[in-house]
């Protein structure tokens, strides 16, 4: 199999309703669909979801520099089997730096293409036996108003929702958390998205929540404030989750060395796809840390499928945050059958889902297609 060309399709995916947290309010999602094609006419698809406040990547930087440069290193390559594909991807990951969303898109596209060419399912590259599907974790953002929370929480209770994460950073955080905690009768996870400016502020706010059963606090401070994160752990006893501050292997090593986290939050787009995320999980497990698994708000079914596969083949997760959320969050998806991202058989070749070229064309941001050939 030889990769003959790549294409970058920037797409705009509107949300059914806004989703917001302390750092961002999102009404639509901007992603880049990667297409790799080989000499036999087969195509593989991946998704780049750049978030500048996480990895520093933007749609513009991916389209003008990062994507074309990475695409040039993939085109013209000949692969004999799955092993040669994985070897190439490990080599590229070693040199990807923080351009991990870009790498994730190309990795997924190449594995999808190779899966069809050589007849293997994506999950097989993880080298582990598949486990049962993970239950869904629910994330509550600022878009659910305090007035609407009692009804929202009542519906979750009727649906036996158990794994809940709430965004914090509002003046009425305590009231909001109390409503949900009392309705569900279960500990809550909270996510500050680096909303608190200092460890002192974070400790003060967490102590104000003392009456609420908290399972963890995610990214309470700016990424790389290791001293502050360690202080929060020591003074509150609440497990700290690293998210925006966890992308590369170097990030993981520093968090472990500084004792600045109890839990790593793994999201495929920011962690370098399947292989990059697997490296982080292995580092965590070797050092006695736990891991959470989540999706990115606004991702298409391509990345959702990737997270589903990762959660099935990599063990140690108790839920998948955002699982199935596209059904109510995205107004449009690029998959022909959006529900297949979660429900398609994991034994299917490649990603195991069908990407609609018509939908990619329909949602492409006008005048911004990129795709040199070779």
């Amino acid at each position: 199999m030889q990769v003959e060309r790549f294409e970058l399709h920037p797409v705009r995916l509107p949300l059914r309703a806004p989703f917001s947290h302390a750092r961002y309010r999102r009404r639509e999602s901007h992603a880049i669909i990667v297409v790799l094609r080989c000499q036999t006419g087969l195509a593989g698809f991946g998704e780049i979801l750049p978030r500048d406040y996480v990895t520093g990547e933007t749609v513009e930087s991916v389209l003008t520099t990062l994507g074309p440069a990475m695409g040039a290193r993939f085109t013209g390559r000949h692969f004999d089997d799955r092993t040669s594909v994985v070897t190439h991807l490990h080599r590229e990951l070693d040199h990807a730096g923080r351009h991990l969303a870009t790498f994730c898109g190309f990795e997924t596209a190449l594995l999808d293409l190779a899966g069809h060419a050589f007849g293997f399912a994506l999950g097989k590259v993880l080298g582990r036996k598949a486990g049962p599907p993970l239950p869904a974790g629910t994330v509550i953002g600022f878009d659910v108003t305090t007035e609407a929370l009692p009804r929202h929480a009542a519906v979750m209770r009727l649906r036996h929702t158990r794994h809940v994460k709430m965004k914090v950073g509002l003046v009425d955080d305590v009231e909001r958390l109390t409503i949900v905690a009392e309705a569900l009768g279960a500990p809550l996870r909270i996510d500050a998205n680096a909303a608190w400016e200092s460890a002192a502020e974070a400790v003060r706010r967490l102590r104000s929540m003392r009456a609420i059963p908290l399972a963890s606090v995610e990214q309470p401070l700016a990424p790389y404030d290791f001293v502050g994160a360690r202080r929060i752990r020591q003074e509150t006893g609440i497990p700290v989750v690293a998210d925006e501050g966890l992308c590369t292997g170097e990030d993981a090593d520093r968090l472990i060395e500084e004792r600045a986290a109890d839990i790593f939050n793994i999201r495929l787009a920011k962690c370098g796809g399947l292989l990059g995320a697997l490296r982080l999980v292995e580092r965590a497990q070797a050092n006695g840390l736990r891991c959470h698994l989540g999706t990115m708000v606004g991702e298409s079914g391509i990345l959702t499928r990737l997270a589903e596969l990762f959660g099935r083949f990599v063990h140690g997760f108790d839920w998948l945050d955002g699982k199935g959320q596209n059904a109510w969050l995205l107004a449009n998806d690029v998959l022909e059958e959006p529900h297949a991202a979660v429900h398609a058989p994991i034994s299917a070749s490649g990603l195991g889902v069908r990407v609609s070229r018509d939908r990619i064309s329909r949602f492409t941001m006008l005048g911004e297609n990129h795709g040199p050939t070779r």
Side-chain angles (χ1 to χ4, degrees):
M1 180 192 81
Q2 180 168 311
V3 179
E4 291 205 330
R5 62 180 291 186
F6 75 90
E7 301 165 8
L8 301 174
H9 299 271
V11 295
R12 180 182 291 109
L13 300 176
L15 306 185
R16 295 183 187 274
F19 186 92
S20 56
H21 54 67
R23 295 288 299 275
Y24 204 88
R25 178 176 173 83
R26 200 174 303 281
R27 294 181 177 275
E28 61 183 16
S29 182
H30 296 168
I32 298 99
I33 306 301
V34 180
V35 186
L36 294 180
R37 302 185 186 277
C38 71
Q39 75 282 7
T40 63
L42 291 174
F45 296 86
E47 178 181 359
I48 302 170
L49 195 64
R51 298 282 160 84
D52 59 348
Y53 59 89
V54 181
T55 62
E57 297 158 286
T58 65
V59 169
E60 181 180 5
S61 68
V62 170
L63 291 176
T64 58
T65 57
L66 302 178
M70 191 164 290
R73 295 195 298 275
F74 278 67
T75 52
R77 293 277 182 177
H78 180 83
F79 302 98
D80 295 317
D81 51 24
R82 184 175 76 194
T83 300
S84 63
V85 170
V86 174
T87 299
H88 173 72
L89 289 172
H90 274 297
R91 189 181 305 118
E92 287 294 323
L93 178 58
D94 288 339
H95 295 92
R98 299 196 69 81
H99 304 147
L100 295 172
T102 303
F103 174 80
C104 176
F106 277 91
E107 176 203 65
T108 307
L110 182 59
L111 289 174
D112 188 33
L113 176 62
H116 292 300
F118 301 129
F120 67 88
L122 243 67
K124 293 295 184 181
V125 305
L126 295 167
R128 304 174 182 210
K129 186 177 180 180
L134 292 173
T138 299
V139 182
I140 301 176
F142 294 171
D143 46 295
V144 181
T145 65
T146 305
E147 293 73 19
L149 263 181
R151 178 179 174 84
H152 193 83
V155 171
M156 288 194 297
R157 184 180 65 246
L158 291 173
R159 293 176 176 173
H160 304 289
T161 302
R162 304 300 297 170
H163 308 293
V164 176
K165 177 167 70 175
M166 291 189 66
K167 301 291 187 178
V168 296
L170 298 172
V171 294
D172 60 349
D173 281 338
V174 173
E175 179 185 358
R176 291 170 58 83
L177 292 168
T178 300
I179 291 170
V180 178
E182 290 181 350
L184 299 183
L188 301 176
R189 294 172 289 130
I190 60 174
D191 183 2
N193 291 104
W196 299 326
E197 294 186 0
S198 67
E201 180 188 0
V203 169
R204 184 174 67 253
R205 289 185 180 274
L206 289 168
R207 284 177 175 166
S208 74
M209 303 170 186
R210 216 173 272 164
I212 302 160
L214 296 181
S216 62
V217 55
E218 186 174 317
Q219 203 62 55
L221 303 174
Y224 317 117
D225 185 350
F226 304 113
V227 173
R230 184 167 62 247
R231 177 181 169 186
I232 292 169
R233 295 181 63 227
Q234 293 171 342
E235 295 191 17
T236 69
I238 300 172
V240 170
V241 183
D243 184 25
E244 286 92 337
L246 174 76
C247 298
T248 68
E250 291 75 16
D251 292 339
D253 292 341
R254 187 72 188 278
L255 286 162
I256 293 167
E257 177 186 346
E258 298 283 352
R259 303 189 307 279
D262 301 275
I263 303 167
F264 285 177
N265 195 37
I266 305 297
R267 294 191 287 172
L268 281 294
K270 74 177 178 77
C271 295
L274 294 179
L275 299 181
L278 181 60
R279 291 183 182 185
L280 297 181
V281 171
E282 290 175 342
R283 273 178 166 88
Q285 292 175 343
N287 288 276
L289 275 68
R290 292 177 287 149
C291 291
H292 292 170
L293 181 62
T295 61
M296 303 279 273
V297 172
E299 67 183 32
S300 84
I302 295 174
L303 277 173
T304 297
R305 176 62 173 175
L306 203 64
E308 182 70 22
L309 292 173
F310 193 81
R312 294 291 300 274
F313 284 91
V314 179
H315 305 155
F317 302 110
D318 294 322
W319 59 79
L320 171 54
D321 276 332
K323 176 173 180 169
Q325 70 182 5
N326 283 359
W328 56 265
L329 184 62
L330 284 188
N332 297 294
D333 202 338
V334 298
L335 298 188
E336 291 185 5
E337 299 174 330
H339 70 279
V342 172
H343 300 294
I346 61 174
S347 58
S349 296
L351 267 172
V353 294
R354 294 195 301 274
V355 179
S356 169
R357 298 177 188 181
D358 176 67
R359 292 188 179 195
I360 291 175
S361 298
R362 200 187 327 157
F363 306 142
T364 292
M365 290 183 264
L366 193 62
E368 296 184 7
N369 275 343
H370 291 248
T373 59
R374 178 174 174 177

